[in-house]
Structures are given as structure tokens and as C-alpha cells.
């Protein structure tokens, strides 16, 4: 949000009377829905309810499900909970897709570096008499830490735990 006067759909700004008008409900109905957990408005410093545009849209959906679809309030609560879980799952899937894409880029980069190293090793193995062994073409790409996991047994599987190296 670059503009301080720009409001997000999640910002709780509407007092209960305005929210009731926008959702075409009585303020007591909004209070009852809050007690039942159908909506969870924000609170002002004086503990008054403040509704966001997302809350208003949820109230309209509650009204539609109740009046047009004939769903009772416990059924509506289940539906809304399922919709919230679905939205969370969709966000998680999107995050995981982005992470997989990033890992693919890193994998391709790693493969390219490995191929270059293999090429340098092959071409440098015949130049071992100079003492440089083909390392003149190696340039660090980035620093990274690598964790190596090894079994906790002694050499040649003796079954004895090893000390740290």
C-alpha cells in the first residue's frame, strides 16, 4: 500500500451501523453472527466492532445462503470454514509452485556449474605438470553451506559410535 489513504479489503473501518446498512441486515443480527463466529470483525480501542469490506461480503454471502439456499446457520458456518481452508490451501499451493520454480532455476544453475567443473577437470587432467591442475578457469559463483550427514558408526561398520572430526 503506497498511498496511506488506500484501504485494503481486510482493513476494519466500518462501524456496526454502517456495516448493517451495507449488508442489508439489522445490527443485532451482526452481533449474533459475531457471537456464533460466522464473522469476526476487528475491534476499536474502545472495544467497538469494526467491519472490513471482506466482512461485509461474508455477511452478504451468509444472507444469500440462508435466504436463497435455505442453509441453517451451523451449515453456513461449516461452508464458510471450508471456504477459508480452501483459500489457505490455494495460497499454500501458489507459494509451493513459486518455491519449486525457484528450486528448478537453482538446479539448472547447479547442473551448469557441475558440467563446467567436469569439463575443466577433464581438460585440466593432462596439465598436471604445471601444478595448477586446470583450476585457472574456476571462479566462485556464490558461497553456500553444505551439510553432510553420515552414519553414527565407526569405520567399516564396527558398530561403535564415532567422535566428531
Amino acid at each position: 500500500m503506497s498511498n496511506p489513504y488506500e484501504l485494503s479489503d481486510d482493513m476494519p473501518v466500518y462501524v456496526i451501523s454502517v456495516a448493517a446498512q451495507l449488508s442489508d441486515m439489522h445490527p443485532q443480527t451482526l452481533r449474533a453472527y459475531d457471537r456464533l463466529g460466522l464473522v469476526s470483525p476487528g475491534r476499536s480501542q474502545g472495544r467497538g466492532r469494526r467491519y472490513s469490506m471482506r466482512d461485509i461480503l461474508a455477511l452478504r454471502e451468509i444472507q444469500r445462503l440462508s435466504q436463497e439456499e435455505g442453509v441453517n446457520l451451523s451449515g453456513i458456518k461449516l461452508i464458510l470454514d471450508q471456504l477459508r481452508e480452501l483459500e489457505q490451501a490455494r495460497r499454500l499451493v501458489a507459494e509451493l509452485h513459486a518455491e519449486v520454480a525457484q528450486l528448478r532455476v537453482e538446479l539448472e544453475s547447479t547442473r551448469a556449474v557441475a558440467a563446467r567443473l567436469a569439463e575443466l577437470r577433464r581438460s585440466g587432467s593432462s596439465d598436471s605438470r604445471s601444478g595448477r591442475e586446470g583450476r585457472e578457469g574456476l571462479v566462485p559463483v556464490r558461497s553456500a553451506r553444505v551439510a553432510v550427514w553420515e552414519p553414527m558408526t565407526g569405520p567399516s561398520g564396527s558398530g561403535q559410535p564415532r567422535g566428531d572430526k
Side-chain angles (χ1 to χ4, degrees), residues 103-122 137-142:
L103 289 172
R104 283 185 177 148
V105 168
E106 289 180 17
L107 177 62
E108 288 305 313
S109 174
T110 302
R111 284 180 176 160
V113 169
R116 177 72 175 132
L117 287 173
E119 176 187 326
L120 287 172
R121 189 166 189 203
R122 278 191 304 275
L138 297 179
V139 177
V141 177
R142 67 177 179 173

Side-chain angles (χ1 to χ4, degrees), residues 4 9 19 29 39 55-56 109 132 134 139 158:
D9 287 346
T29 306
V39 290
D55 293 330
I56 306 275
S109 174
R132 295 184 65 179
V139 177
S158 66

Side-chain angles (χ1 to χ4, degrees), residues 108-162:
E108 288 305 313
S109 174
T110 302
R111 284 180 176 160
V113 169
R116 177 72 175 132
L117 287 173
E119 176 187 326
L120 287 172
R121 189 166 189 203
R122 278 191 304 275
S123 67
S125 63
S126 63
D127 194 23
S128 61
R129 65 185 176 279
S130 69
R132 295 184 65 179
E133 299 179 10
R135 289 193 170 96
E136 67 275 353
L138 297 179
V139 177
V141 177
R142 67 177 179 173
S143 64
R145 293 185 181 209
V146 176
V148 178
W149 293 85
E150 296 178 353
M152 290 284 297
T153 59
S156 66
S158 66
Q160 297 297 319
R162 290 186 324 201

Side-chain angles (χ1 to χ4, degrees), residues 38-54:
L38 293 173
V39 290
S40 298
R43 297 286 180 162
S44 68
Q45 288 182 339
R47 301 297 298 148
R49 291 173 175 87
R50 295 287 189 266
Y51 291 84
S52 67
M53 185 50 69
R54 193 172 310 278

